[in-house]
């Protein structure tokens, strides 16, 4: 192993004609998506005393550096332990090398409280058992540092599934909720500003205590038990949800908190569980709803009547499509998603208009043909497809931006619409 490759400093309104039972076009073939390592870019900012050590190749290091290069951070909290030719050829003991790299890292960085060993394609190819390594290193460095592991490899994960794998690794570490004390757990990484807005709304509703997974600090992992009710803040957390339910938590079914409508229904699911009366609920959410609707009205005229096509990428596609169709007046052509979790997305699917193509998985060539035939006003896709499509005269929106940007909640609804209006404005300027 080649040491560390550093990182840059740096009650629902279900539509009558919803999509709940619409057949899904399932495709398998070549995919154009990032691997799960990408999640480190937002997760390392979220858990402020964690460090993400990718056990991977120079390709993995380059992916992280170029993805992180989109933003500037004061403190690098991720790096890549490079598996070199000697490791790949079995000429060195990769476990010894890993222990050496981790020991040096922890000595140099006493601020680290939680260390994630993140698996990659190369670590899988040489069958490096990172779960045993994490147990071994945890024994060595506990109680100061907890060492966990998950896979971000492109063989096992796509893009946002890295967050699911990371949060799933945290679930067994969560303390047990004493007795059957009731609490609300918000699951999925959110920007702190968004968490604070939601905390104020839940407090005004009398819903609580409210905790977040992931927590901001490793030592503050929320408790979980049969009294835990959880709300998914992100639609790509299937494994985390499964494990939480294994610990007794119950999911509150709701659409995702995107736009005025999604946010209202998401909050309503918790309010209903806590027995908040309708008058109080309406009074608490009304100011936020009004601000969101006013912000949306300014953008909606640029989006209304425009068509949009989603390539599968972040798993946010269905909630975004619902928001753009119902609150911005956009016309949906195809909505592609890498995976469709029917249970978690049931409320979203019921709110989509009929007559659209829903696709799951990817056969990129066929999908490109459908996109070219549809000639949408905006195409949402990964970075790899955006440039070629722009060159063909299609206006694109990078899906990755939607994961990096705070888009949840009332106060962000206008910004979310703006993210889609901007490429149209840019294209219009270029056409003049
Ligand atoms: Fe590439 Fe695999 Fe590394 Fe991801 S984990 S950057 S897909 S080699």
């Amino acid at each position: 192993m080649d040491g560390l490759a550093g990182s840059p400093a740096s009650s629902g309104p279900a539509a009558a004609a919803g999509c709940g039972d619409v057949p899904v076009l399932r495709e398998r073939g070549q995919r154009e998506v990032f691997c799960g390592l990408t999640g480190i870019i937002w997760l390392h900012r979220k858990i402020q005393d964690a460090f993400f050590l990718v056990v991977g190749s120079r390709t993995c290091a380059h992916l992280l550096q170029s993805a992180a290069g989109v933003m500037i951070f004061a403190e690098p909290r991720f790096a890549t332990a490079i598996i070199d030719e000697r490791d790949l050829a079995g000429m060195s003991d990769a476990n010894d090398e890993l222990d050496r790299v981790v020991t040096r890292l922890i000595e140099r960085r006493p601020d680290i409280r939680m260390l994630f060993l993140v698996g990659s394609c190369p670590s899988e190819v040489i069958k490096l058992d990172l779960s045993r390594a994490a147990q071994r290193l945890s024994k060595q460095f506990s109680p100061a540092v907890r060492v966990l592991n998950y896979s971000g490899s492109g063989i096992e994960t796509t893009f946002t599934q890295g967050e699911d794998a990371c949060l799933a690794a945290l679930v067994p570490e969560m303390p047990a909720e004493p007795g059957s004390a009731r609490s609300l757990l918000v699951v999925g990484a959110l920007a702190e500003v968004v968490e604070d807005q939601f905390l104020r709304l839940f407090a005004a509703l009398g819903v609580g205590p409210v905790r977040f997974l992931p927590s901001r600090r490793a030592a503050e992992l929320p408790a979980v038990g049969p009294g835990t009710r959880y709300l998914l803040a992100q639609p790509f957390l299937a494994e985390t949800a499964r494990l939480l339910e294994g610990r007794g938590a119950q999911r509150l079914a709701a659409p995702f908190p995107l736009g005025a409508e999604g946010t209202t229904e998401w909050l309503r699911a918790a309010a209903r569980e806590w027995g908040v009366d309708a008058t109080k609920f309406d009074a608490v959410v009304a100011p936020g709803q009004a601000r969101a609707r006013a912000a949306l009205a300014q953008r909606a005229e640029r989006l209304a009547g425009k068509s949009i096509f989603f390539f599968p990428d972040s798993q946010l596609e269905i909630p975004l499509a619902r928001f753009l169709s119902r609150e911005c007046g956009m016309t949906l052509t195809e909505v592609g998603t890498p995976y469709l979790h029917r249970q978690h997305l049931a409320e979203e699917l019921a709110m989509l208009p009929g007559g659209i193509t829903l696709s799951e998985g990817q056969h990129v060539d066929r999908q490109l043909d459908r996109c070219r035939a549809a000639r949408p006003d905006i195409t949402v896709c990964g970075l790899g497809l955006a440039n070629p499509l722009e060159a063909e005269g299609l206006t694109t929106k990078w899906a990755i931006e939607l994961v990096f940007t705070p888009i949840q909640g009332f106060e962000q609804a206008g910004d979310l619409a703006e993210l889609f209006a901007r490429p149209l404005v840019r294209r219009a300027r270029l056409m003049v």
Side-chain angles (χ1 to χ4, degrees), residues 35 37 59-60 63 120-122 152-154:
C35 66
L37 295 188
T59 309
C60 309
L63 170 87
S120 66
C121 306
S153 106

Side-chain angles (χ1 to χ4, degrees), residues 77-374:
R77 282 202 304 275
F78 56 89
T80 307
I82 306 284
I83 295 175
D84 61 19
E85 287 76 16
R86 280 166 41 81
D87 301 307
L88 288 170
M91 289 165 65
S92 60
D93 185 331
N95 278 298
D96 288 349
E97 300 275 316
L98 181 61
D99 289 7
R100 188 175 55 78
V101 168
V102 168
T103 304
R104 213 178 56 202
L105 172 68
I106 290 177
E107 280 168 7
R108 275 194 1 221
R109 296 288 298 270
D111 54 310
I112 297 172
R113 292 283 166 271
M114 184 174 274
L115 174 67
F116 289 100
L117 303 177
V118 188
S120 66
C121 306
S123 73
E124 273 177 29
V125 167
I126 64 165
K127 304 216 177 317
L128 187 56
D129 188 341
L130 290 182
S131 123
R132 282 183 57 193
Q135 283 170 19
R136 182 175 71 239
L137 289 161
S138 238
K139 259 190 216 142
Q140 187 179 338
F141 293 106
S142 72
V145 184
R146 267 194 270 194
V147 185
L148 304 176
N149 76 290
Y150 72 88
S151 174
S153 106
I155 302 167
E156 288 194 359
T157 57
T158 64
F159 195 16
T160 49
Q161 278 181 304
E163 176 173 335
D164 190 22
C166 175
L167 300 195
L170 288 173
V171 174
E173 303 294 310
M174 293 164 72
E177 185 82 83
S180 57
R182 198 157 64 145
S183 62
L184 178 66
L185 184 65
V186 176
V187 184
L190 292 169
E192 284 178 14
V193 61
V194 176
E195 280 186 5
D196 292 342
Q197 290 163 7
F198 285 147
L199 275 176
R200 284 195 289 276
L201 285 164
F202 285 127
L205 288 168
V207 170
V210 182
R211 296 161 188 150
F212 293 88
L213 182 71
S215 52
R216 295 182 192 184
R217 309 204 74 82
E220 293 163 6
L221 275 180
V224 63
T228 306
R229 301 291 176 268
Y230 74 94
L231 273 174
L232 288 176
Q234 304 286 4
F236 42 73
L237 299 172
E239 181 61 8
T240 307
R242 193 183 68 76
L243 294 178
L244 285 171
E245 286 173 19
R247 302 235 7 221
Q250 289 175 31
R251 185 175 65 91
L252 300 178
F256 291 87
L258 299 180
E261 184 181 42
T263 304
T264 302
E265 296 313 312
W266 188 80
L267 293 167
R268 196 194 304 277
R272 206 182 283 133
E273 180 70 17
W274 260 256
V276 179
D277 76 56
T279 314
K280 179 172 179 182
F281 179 81
D282 291 343
V284 169
V285 300
Q289 278 177 331
R291 284 193 297 276
R293 289 189 178 129
L296 283 170
Q298 290 169 19
R299 277 90 176 183
E301 62 192 48
R302 279 184 274 158
L303 294 173
K306 298 283 194 288
S307 59
I308 188 160
F309 187 108
F310 285 88
F311 279 82
D313 205 274
S314 65
Q315 297 191 51
L316 281 164
E317 294 84 4
I318 290 173
L320 286 170
R322 178 265 301 159
F323 163 73
L324 291 168
S325 144
R326 291 172 67 104
E327 296 194 57
C328 302
M330 293 191 82
T331 304
L332 308 176
T333 51
E334 176 163 339
V335 182
T337 181
Y339 301 100
L340 178 58
H341 194 301
R342 280 215 174 253
Q343 211 183 353
H344 290 177
L345 286 160
E347 288 70 23
E348 294 284 353
L349 291 170
M351 291 161 80
L352 283 179
I356 63 169
T357 300
L358 267 181
S359 60
E360 182 188 17
Q362 189 165 42
H363 186 299
V364 73
D365 290 327
R366 283 193 212 137
Q367 201 169 26
L368 279 167
D369 288 344
R370 295 197 296 275
C371 181
R372 289 178 183 122

Side-chain angles (χ1 to χ4, degrees), residues 394-419:
L394 290 167
T395 302
T396 60
K397 172 86 222 143
W398 292 352
I400 197 166
E401 244 186 292
L402 298 156
V403 182
F404 284 160
T405 313
I407 54 172
Q408 295 81 7
F410 291 132
E411 312 306 328
Q412 282 64 240
D415 296 345
L416 178 55
E418 180 67 26
L419 285 173

